Amino acid sequence: MAKAPKASEIDWSALGFDYLDLPYRYIAHYKDGQWDQGELTEDSTLHISEGSTALHYGQADFEGLKAYRTKDGEIQLFRPDQNAKRMQRSCARLLMPALSEAQFLSALKSVVKANADYVPPYGTGGTLYLRPLMIGVGGNIGVHPAQEYIFTVFAMPVGAYYKGGVTPTNFTTSYYDRAAPHGTGQNKVGGNYGGSLLPGDEAHKAGFSDVIYLDPATHTKIEEAGSANFFGITKDNEFVTPKSDSILPSITKFSLLYLAEHNLGLKPIEGDVYIDKLDRFTEAGAMGTAAVIAPIGGIEYQDHLHVFYSETEVGPVTQKLYNTLTGIQFGDVKAPEGWIQKVDLD
């Protein structure tokens, strides 16, 4: 794998969402019942045993978040403590030894500082994407937790998700389920995503952006929109998002629930969203780290495309939510207490 070009040689306006081998990443090892202090390394290859439980039994979880360059040149993280807590919950579900929040945050900031030149300039829409990852390793063969683990954080600059601005796209429902009842749907683990590749591919080939996953028990309620959470805006100024034990607790979702109420005066609701009652919504979208908000033009269900606000234009409430959240992330809008953590570059 070729190393990334020098930061000075990168065309920030041409960035996509692609892997780049940056100079530094963080790695820590768990052995004999404890984590070591971890360190920065220039080696982008993980050296693991063929018996690693991550390879055989899916004992692996991960996170995703971004570092943002502000107008004054500072670098900041958006609610990284929530990523630390969510990864701890994922670890508990897979019987993996969770990293402390302090070590998790220290690892993130050390990677950002070491690769600071690769945080895209303010105004380009680009960010430094961070991928914390934990895997079970060592010589194993039985179906039981590993005795050794690797935690790593790597990074890459990524462009604005929408090159031409925030644009609505259409989604379709699927025969397939994203997660099982009482399974790992609320955890950020690899298996949830592996199972989504086939239905996602089928949706793309049919001309849709991604899949609207219905609840696995009854297939009557919306759960997730691709790898993101779903939201709808009602004519009564309600911000509605599904509630279920198999939905990933999106940090973007909980942030938008708060901002919808406190900044836009909407009523936040977590509850059932029935697929045959889409008429209640005047706008809809998907929300997550990569796109922040992806407006949904329409949803196909039983061969009928239900269009919300428009297939080509972003609804006014969706646009306000997007502007507010990205404004906070890039330092242009005052953030609620504790949402922003600065990266010390000295």
Side-chain angles (χ1 to χ4, degrees), residues 5 13 21 24 48 72 89 118 135 148 162 166-167 198 202 216 220 225 239 250 254 262 264 271 285 289 304 313:
S13 65
D21 186 352
Y24 298 101
I48 63 174
D72 59 11
R89 295 193 297 270
Y118 288 91
I135 58 174
E148 300 177 15
Y162 303 103
V166 182
T167 305
L198 176 60
E202 291 182 351
T220 61
F239 179 92
S250 163
F254 288 114
H262 293 88
L264 275 69
T289 297
H304 170 71
E313 298 180 11

Side-chain angles (χ1 to χ4, degrees), residues 3 19-30 34-47 65 87 97-115 128-135 149-156:
K3 289 288 185 181
Y19 175 82
L20 277 177
D21 186 352
L22 296 196
Y24 298 101
R25 69 275 307 134
Y26 174 94
I27 191 165
H29 296 84
Y30 180 91
Q34 63 182 2
W35 286 101
D36 63 22
Q37 293 183 347
E39 62 181 356
L40 290 173
T41 176
E42 297 181 55
D43 188 357
S44 59
T45 301
L46 295 178
H47 304 267
L65 67 159
M87 192 168 205
L99 217 66
S100 71
E101 184 174 323
Q103 188 172 0
F104 182 93
L105 295 176
S106 177
L108 292 179
K109 292 175 182 179
S110 68
V111 171
V112 174
K113 182 177 180 179
N115 296 292
L128 186 74
Y129 183 81
L130 298 164
R131 173 52 59 86
L133 169 72
M134 189 184 297
I135 58 174
Y149 297 85
I150 288 176
F151 171 79
T152 185
V153 181
F154 59 98
M156 69 220 68

Side-chain angles (χ1 to χ4, degrees), residues 18 25 28 78 82 98 157-158 225 240 276 294 298 307 314 317 321 342:
D18 302 298
R25 69 275 307 134
F78 178 74
Q82 298 304 306
V158 297
V240 182
D276 61 355
V307 177
V314 182
V317 177
L321 286 168
K342 301 287 188 182

Side-chain angles (χ1 to χ4, degrees), residues 105-240:
L105 295 176
S106 177
L108 292 179
K109 292 175 182 179
S110 68
V111 171
V112 174
K113 182 177 180 179
N115 296 292
D117 289 346
Y118 288 91
V119 181
Y122 173 85
T124 63
T127 55
L128 186 74
Y129 183 81
L130 298 164
R131 173 52 59 86
L133 169 72
M134 189 184 297
I135 58 174
V137 298
N140 311 276
I141 197 61
V143 184
H144 53 70
Q147 297 299 305
E148 300 177 15
Y149 297 85
I150 288 176
F151 171 79
T152 185
V153 181
F154 59 98
M156 69 220 68
V158 297
Y161 197 79
Y162 303 103
K163 293 301 182 185
V166 182
T167 305
T169 59
N170 294 334
F171 284 63
T172 185
T173 52
S174 175
Y175 160 83
Y176 295 101
D177 294 328
R178 172 188 165 271
H182 314 297
T184 58
Q186 63 180 295
N187 305 113
K188 201 166 179 66
V189 300
N192 295 346
Y193 295 81
S196 72
L197 297 178
L198 176 60
D201 184 63
E202 291 182 351
H204 298 154
K205 288 178 178 177
F208 294 93
S209 176
D210 214 326
V211 172
I212 292 290
Y213 290 102
L214 304 178
D215 72 291
T218 70
H219 271 215
T220 61
K221 295 177 285 188
I222 291 177
E223 290 220 326
E224 294 217 332
S227 58
N229 283 187
F230 174 89
F231 74 87
I233 307 296
T234 72
K235 63 180 182 300
D236 297 321
N237 291 321
E238 299 167 324
F239 179 92
V240 182

